[in-house]
Amino acid sequence: MDNFSTLIGGIAGDGINEAGITVARLFCRLGYNIYMYYDYPSLIRGGHNFSLVRASSKKIAAHMDQIDILIALNQETIEKHAVRLKDSSFVIYDADKVMLEGITQKGCGLPITSILKEAGAPAVMKNTCILGGYCKVVGINWSILESVLKKHMEKKLEQNLLVARQGYDQAIESYRIDSLSSKIERNPLPIITGNQAISLGLIKAGLGAYVAYPMTPSSSVLDFMAKFGPQFGIKVIHPENEIAVMLMAQGFAYAGVKCAVGTSGGGFCLMTEGLSLAGMAEIPVVVVMVQRTGPSTGLPTYTGQGDLNFILSAGQGEFPRFVVAPGDAEDAYYWSAVALNMAWKYQVPSFILSDKIVSESQYNFELAGAGTVEEEATQQWSGQGKYQRYSFTDNGVSPMAFPPQKGQAIKTDSYMHDEFGITTEDAMLNKKMTDKRLLKERYLADDLERYEAVKVLSEGNGESAKTALLCWGSNKGVCQEAAEKLGLRAIQVLVLSPFPAKQLKDALQGIERLVAVECNATAQLARLGGFFGFEIDDRILKYDGRPFSLNDLESELGRRGI
Amino acid sequence: MNPMDLATYGKNTWCPGCGNFSILSAIRSVLAELDGQMQSIENVVLVSGIGCHAKIVDLMNVNSFYSIHGRVLPVATAIKLANPDLTVICFSGDGDSLAEGLDHLVFAAKRNIDVTLILHDNRVYGLTTGQFTPTSPLGFKGKSTPNGSFEHPLNPPELMLASGATYIARGYTHGIGLLQKLFREAILHKGFSFVDVLQVCVSYNNLYEAYNKRTYELKDHDASSYEEAQKVIRSWNYDGSDVPIPLGKFYEADARRLDQAYRGSMPNALDRDNSISELLENFI
Ligand SMILES: Cc1ncc(C[n+]2csc(CCOP(=O)(O)OP(=O)(O)O)c2C)c(N)n1
Ligand code: SF4
Ligand SMILES: [Mg+2]
């Protein structure tokens, strides 16, 4: 079985996200790779939520429209997702709540509400009960579900097991999901979101503080850091607003603590003045910037890639910045560590430009597969002579020192300043300092040659391809898969600043037709590429807040004769 | 240490007669004196916003972070959290901390973070040449309010008392002895210290005469009493009336501080790697 998709839907408050993760964990224990898209509106109770879990023997990071199993906790789920059913699909539903009228596919109704009532279990256990039925239907052994629940149910395990078993016993087996475990020599992998991977990457590279004001879809980095950060000595702060967030990050950095902040578009707008301060004062700071659909409040819980232009030029004045857009959890881990390293090596702002899909989707995550990255040393002051915070050097990077330093004053300044860090309006010095700051970008760009800043995703058949898909961020998964299927080359631009023009040129060898695939309305990567002389022949754009499914992309390509 | 050892080559560009000179001189002597006693100078970090007041950090040969307008306290808070052994002193203006950065001021007091904020309260925007601020009296004729401002002033010490500051005082730039005393107390106080300094701006809001006539130094005031502090703070509301203006320490209390909340140190790289692997086990 190459692909198996399960959709579970209900109202907000039904625990749909957690239920989807449970399904994902079941498949991971059977040796499958998983990807889960979680779709939810911006409200706490009611509304329609669904998790779409795809399992595959291959590594995946995209969903398909059609599903094999539909798990419906309410009628709306049937109405909304009946179109996804194939002839062979199967529906599992709460028979006390849902009618299967007009559905020709096979189904299995479980009296969920009655089962819960009998067991005296609260309504939130609906999903555990129906997942019991699900395991029976798809032929996943009870012991596997039992082990997942035992590991992850924090509350009322016994009762959960009871209702799950009831669901299991009352359903009938209709599929047999083979275990791949005998073929694949590996332990089950952890399942994490991109935001969790970002957090781990930052921790890996020596993060000492995380400051954020909650904003979807970045908040789960804050949640993760608040929960797990203290064991790594990380100070986690949720202050009054994003302006404070950005400035606090710089207070931390001034005192020698590596700090990251996290937000989404609107919150980042408030950070831009502080960002410019970091540019001028050469203060390292990492910004986790998770895009959602804009402008303004937009669609808070949906995706978009509309902030690239903004991130590349945010903040008054000219200063270098590092911007990376990971495409899945492993990218997110690796490149977040790199982003923290780069910020401190070059004393520049560094962005992890994510999007809702990367940040909130679930991926099976292999630490070893993510790439080796270590915390890099920052250039420290030798301790000789008089310390000058902004001393001129060959590469523009002035060695750092942090208070206290006996007999020294460490001075940071938002005004134009001299080497010591005292305000000056001297014309020559102003020019020289500006050159110094910009010089760092050249060395940063050279340094990037050590990294795969542009990745050719579809090795093999992609080599002879004449058509390439150009993508960034979460479209990595869907482009890679479509390219492999259709004999195209998929190219992922990971680093967006400094723009890896040389690496992109190499990646494009032999390509005659270049198609940009983006989740925005104005093809921002295509525009950026154009600035560096890359001609984009076609643009496939999606900007309804939803990610491309594999089918979406294939049909768009088909329409273009590709 | 001689206070002049704390000078720099930075050019002083304040108007002759500006009250900022007194603040500069007072802080230099206090820091020079403390250097010999409890707090060596390299442990001191100065943070300033933007405005005439803020230029003070360029004139001090002390660690400093010359921040942006209104954003003194988030920087100072983080420096203190990063290294609680540092003594963090903020210089801010009435526009800086009561208009542009008011949110941070209220929150610093609420958190009782152990930093000191010296408010150069000239009741005008000096550096942008004379507009009304949150402490300008009703009817103030500034460049942005040529017909007189329409708003009542804020009473900053009252706001600080309500917000949770644990050291609140008022000084006047004509009276350097009291300024030094208050600065020293504020710096040594554990918790958020707020010193409102009636700083005369000779160019845009010269209140020397009025202040000389109306200010008086508090005697026999019980600074440990919230009610007494509130009473004395409310006795003058920054309006144009000719009631007496009290100077001195209004309030001092001991309370939990945010800088006490963060403990624990960072593990070495190996332990960190092990912890990451262990943590990932939770997600299988
Ligand atoms: C975001 C921002 N807005 C406006 C300014 C312009 N500006 C510089 S100083 C200042 C007012 C200063 O007033 P105050 O804080 O009272 O300081 P003073 O000059 O009176 O000491 C303003 C509005 C700025 N630098 N930054
Ligand atoms: S404008 Fe006022 S506050 Fe600014 S330096 Fe001159 S007198 Fe001082
Ligand atoms: Mg002022």
Side-chain angles (χ1 to χ4, degrees):
Chain A
M1 190 208 62
D2 247 8
N3 271 300
F4 197 82
S5 292
T6 303
L7 188 149
I8 175 163
I11 54 169
D14 274 348
I16 298 299
N17 192 19
E18 195 51 40
I21 297 170
T22 302
V23 171
R25 286 177 178 140
L26 294 170
F27 278 95
C28 259
R29 277 168 177 65
L30 294 171
Y32 289 88
N33 292 287
I34 65 91
Y35 165 78
M36 179 182 123
Y37 167 60
Y38 177 47
D39 188 300
Y40 63 104
S42 182
L43 42 77
I44 308 303
R45 288 276 181 273
H48 179 65
N49 284 19
F50 68 92
S51 297
L52 210 173
V53 186
R54 182 177 164 213
S56 170
S57 55
K58 292 197 293 262
K59 203 159 167 52
I60 46 165
H63 73 281
M64 302 204 292
D65 287 342
Q66 295 197 313
I67 53 176
D68 298 285
I69 303 278
L70 176 61
I71 307 176
L73 286 171
N74 64 358
Q75 195 66 39
E76 196 180 6
T77 301
I78 302 278
E79 286 157 12
K80 282 207 145 78
H81 300 286
V83 291
R84 298 177 181 275
L85 298 172
K86 303 178 275 195
D87 289 343
S88 59
S89 301
F90 195 92
V91 185
I92 305 168
Y93 57 99
D94 180 354
D96 293 330
K97 290 263 175 71
V98 179
M99 310 257 287
L100 265 204
E101 263 165 50
I103 302 282
T104 56
Q105 284 81 358
K106 278 184 287 182
C108 166
L110 296 170
I112 305 290
T113 312
S114 319
I115 294 175
L116 294 189
K117 207 178 215 174
E118 227 162 87
V124 289
M125 289 191 190
K126 261 193 272 194
N127 56 29
T128 325
C129 181
I130 210 161
L131 287 178
Y134 170 78
C135 284
K136 179 66 148 304
V137 168
V138 302
I140 293 176
N141 287 340
W142 167 253
S143 62
I144 296 181
L145 178 61
E146 190 181 23
S147 79
V148 171
L149 294 181
K150 277 189 171 159
K151 176 154 185 183
H152 294 283
M153 277 291 161
E154 280 166 15
K155 280 183 251 164
K156 304 201 175 157
L157 173 66
E158 288 310 314
Q159 214 172 17
N160 272 294
L161 283 172
L162 184 78
V163 296
R165 185 71 212 197
Q166 289 279 328
Y168 187 85
D169 287 343
Q170 297 193 25
I172 20 155
E173 184 165 328
S174 301
Y175 289 80
R176 187 80 234 174
I177 304 280
D178 325 311
S179 169
L180 301 180
S181 309
S182 54
K183 288 179 235 164
I184 300 171
E185 273 304 310
R186 75 171 181 211
N187 292 326
L189 291 173
I191 294 168
I192 62 173
T193 62
N195 275 351
Q196 290 165 340
I198 288 170
S199 309
L200 290 171
L202 291 171
I203 291 171
K204 168 72 183 170
L207 193 77
Y210 185 76
V211 193
Y213 187 89
M215 187 165 186
T216 306
S218 67
S219 310
S220 54
V221 179
L222 176 59
D223 302 348
F224 186 93
M225 290 293 191
K227 186 165 177 188
F228 297 108
Q231 74 187 78
F232 295 95
I234 296 174
K235 293 171 175 155
V236 181
I237 298 158
H238 162 188
E240 56 273 30
N241 54 35
E242 288 87 351
I243 297 175
V245 167
M246 191 44 139
L247 272 292
M248 280 190 177
Q250 298 181 52
F252 273 114
Y254 172 82
V257 174
K258 295 184 177 176
C259 185
V261 304
T263 189
S264 185
F268 181 65
C269 289
L270 293 183
M271 294 185 182
T272 53
E273 192 199 15
L275 179 78
S276 182
L277 165 63
M280 173 56 111
E282 304 193 50
I283 299 170
V285 58
V286 173
V287 184
V288 179
M289 207 341 268
V290 187
Q291 299 166 97
R292 62 193 217 186
T293 324
S296 194
T297 310
L299 300 176
T301 59
Y302 288 91
T303 198
Q305 297 186 313
D307 298 339
L308 176 58
N309 287 344
F310 177 39
I311 295 303
L312 291 174
S313 59
Q316 74 270 32
E318 299 161 304
F319 55 91
R321 67 195 74 199
F322 175 70
V323 181
V324 63
D328 56 26
E330 282 162 14
D331 278 356
Y333 170 81
Y334 176 82
W335 285 99
S336 296
V338 173
L340 185 55
N341 281 336
M342 290 299 185
W344 281 78
K345 225 169 144 185
Y346 296 97
Q347 301 171 26
V348 292
S350 190
F351 289 88
I352 299 157
L353 181 57
S354 183
D355 55 51
K356 186 243 144 124
I357 297 305
V358 167
S359 279
E360 294 194 337
S361 295
Q362 302 278 348
Y363 304 84
N364 53 278
F365 176 81
E366 196 170 6
L367 195 55
T372 314
V373 56
E374 296 297 336
E375 177 176 10
E376 289 189 30
T378 25
Q379 212 184 326
Q380 302 266 353
W381 176 53
S382 66
Q384 302 301 307
K386 179 177 148 112
Y387 180 66
Q388 304 218 89
R389 174 63 191 91
Y390 299 105
S391 59
F392 293 115
T393 59
D394 290 344
N395 62 359
V397 177
S398 315
M400 294 181 109
F402 311 108
Q405 299 286 339
K406 187 96 196 136
Q408 306 294 338
I410 300 159
K411 297 187 87 72
T412 284
D413 194 355
S414 73
Y415 275 102
M416 186 60 70
H417 42 258
D418 63 14
E419 285 181 276
F420 185 46
I422 286 194
T423 305
T424 173
E425 292 176 337
D426 182 85
M428 243 174 50
L429 202 50
N430 179 5
K431 178 179 181 304
K432 209 170 156 195
M433 270 296 166
T434 305
D435 288 339
K436 160 194 161 23
R437 285 192 299 273
L438 293 177
L439 183 62
K440 296 189 294 182
E441 181 166 22
R442 268 217 339 249
Y443 285 86
L444 172 55
D446 286 351
D447 201 358
L448 276 174
E449 291 303 317
R450 294 190 288 145
Y451 296 89
E452 245 186 320
V454 173
K455 216 184 253 177
V456 176
L457 300 169
S458 44
E459 303 290 358
N461 64 1
E463 272 166 40
S464 56
K466 297 276 177 269
T467 300
L469 305 180
L470 185 71
C471 67
W472 61 288
S474 60
N475 287 329
K476 169 186 184 176
V478 74
C479 286
Q480 171 162 17
E481 207 171 336
E484 278 166 4
K485 209 162 150 189
L486 303 172
L488 313 173
R489 191 183 302 170
I491 298 169
Q492 177 196 14
V493 182
L494 275 144
V495 176
L496 296 148
S497 172
F499 194 74
K502 187 172 160 291
Q503 288 194 34
L504 180 55
K505 199 168 162 216
D506 294 345
L508 285 169
Q509 287 298 329
I511 292 298
E512 291 165 7
R513 184 172 180 188
L514 186 54
V515 184
V517 179
E518 302 187 49
C519 286
N520 54 46
T522 56
Q524 299 190 12
L525 174 62
R527 184 136 50 125
L528 178 64
F531 186 76
F532 290 91
F534 296 98
E535 226 169 275
I536 314 293
D537 303 288
D538 219 330
R539 291 155 178 76
I540 298 178
L541 306 175
K542 193 169 192 320
Y543 42 90
D544 57 2
R546 277 71 180 172
F548 283 102
S549 68
L550 187 57
N551 316 74
D552 288 333
L553 183 56
E554 279 177 19
S555 69
E556 285 292 334
L557 289 166
R559 205 173 314 165
R560 287 163 175 79
I562 300 169
Chain B
M1 175 180 265
N2 184 320
M4 280 321 286
D5 294 345
L6 295 180
T8 65
Y9 56 86
K11 213 166 89 192
N12 192 324
T13 55
W14 288 323
C15 311
C18 172
N20 283 327
F21 285 100
S22 311
I23 297 179
L24 174 64
S25 142
I27 195 71
R28 275 187 188 156
S29 23
V30 168
L31 290 182
E33 185 196 320
L34 286 179
D35 182 50
Q37 302 167 3
M38 42 269 289
Q39 189 51 284
S40 51
I41 196 74
E42 67 268 14
N43 278 297
V44 175
V45 180
L46 313 178
V47 185
S48 76
I50 295 290
C52 293
H53 63 272
K55 299 180 177 195
I56 195 167
V57 296
D58 274 343
L59 308 173
M60 298 280 295
N61 192 27
V62 179
N63 298 317
S64 67
F65 192 125
Y66 202 150
S67 183
I68 51 180
H69 189 46
R71 315 304 169 200
V72 181
L73 282 164
V75 171
T77 301
I79 292 172
K80 186 69 187 180
L81 293 179
N83 184 353
D85 295 335
L86 297 173
T87 294
V88 184
I89 305 167
C90 306
F91 301 91
S92 185
D94 42 333
D96 200 69
S97 267
L98 292 169
E100 191 76 285
L102 179 64
D103 37 4
H104 312 309
L105 181 64
V106 170
F107 273 81
K110 172 176 180 283
R111 294 176 184 130
N112 195 29
I113 180 83
D114 184 22
V115 306
T116 297
L117 185 124
I118 294 170
L119 192 78
H120 300 225
D121 193 357
N122 53 10
R123 307 171 68 197
V124 72
Y125 286 87
L127 194 59
T128 49
T129 68
Q131 296 84 2
F132 89 124
T133 73
T135 51
S136 304
L138 181 74
F140 181 83
K141 289 190 174 160
K143 284 188 174 169
S144 59
T145 52
N147 299 319
S149 73
F150 211 79
E151 302 170 22
H152 283 288
L154 282 175
N155 182 335
E158 187 178 11
L159 176 69
M160 287 295 88
L161 188 68
S163 304
T166 50
Y167 180 94
I168 303 169
R170 182 186 292 133
Y172 169 34
T173 50
H174 242 44
I176 192 140
L178 179 64
L179 268 191
Q180 288 176 2
K181 175 171 169 285
L182 298 178
F183 288 176
R184 192 180 309 111
E185 281 177 7
I187 292 167
L188 295 178
H189 171 77
K190 288 266 167 223
F192 185 62
S193 304
F194 178 81
V195 186
D196 184 34
V197 180
L198 300 176
Q199 173 241 320
V200 171
C201 167
V202 290
S203 299
Y204 299 107
N205 194 17
N206 193 340
L207 294 170
Y208 267 127
E209 228 171 277
Y211 287 161
N212 283 344
K213 218 182 299 167
R214 287 159 44 202
T215 54
Y216 72 99
E217 208 175 314
L218 281 174
K219 285 196 190 68
D220 305 324
H221 166 67
D222 179 10
S224 68
S225 157
Y226 189 95
E227 288 71 29
E228 290 300 310
Q230 195 172 50
K231 214 188 300 173
V232 74
I233 284 171
R234 285 182 173 173
S235 71
W236 177 59
N237 272 330
Y238 292 72
D239 50 20
S241 71
D242 50 12
V243 300
I245 303 174
L247 302 176
K249 177 167 84 175
F250 297 152
Y251 184 64
E252 184 162 17
D254 191 24
R256 268 162 56 109
R257 317 188 303 269
L258 183 68
D259 41 287
Q260 295 170 311
Y262 295 89
R263 281 171 221 290
S265 54
M266 292 185 62
N268 64 35
L270 186 66
D271 289 347
R272 197 161 64 208
D273 287 355
N274 290 335
S275 299
I276 288 175
S277 303
E278 273 169 34
L279 201 161
L280 277 169
E281 297 281 318
N282 295 329
F283 292 85
I284 292 172

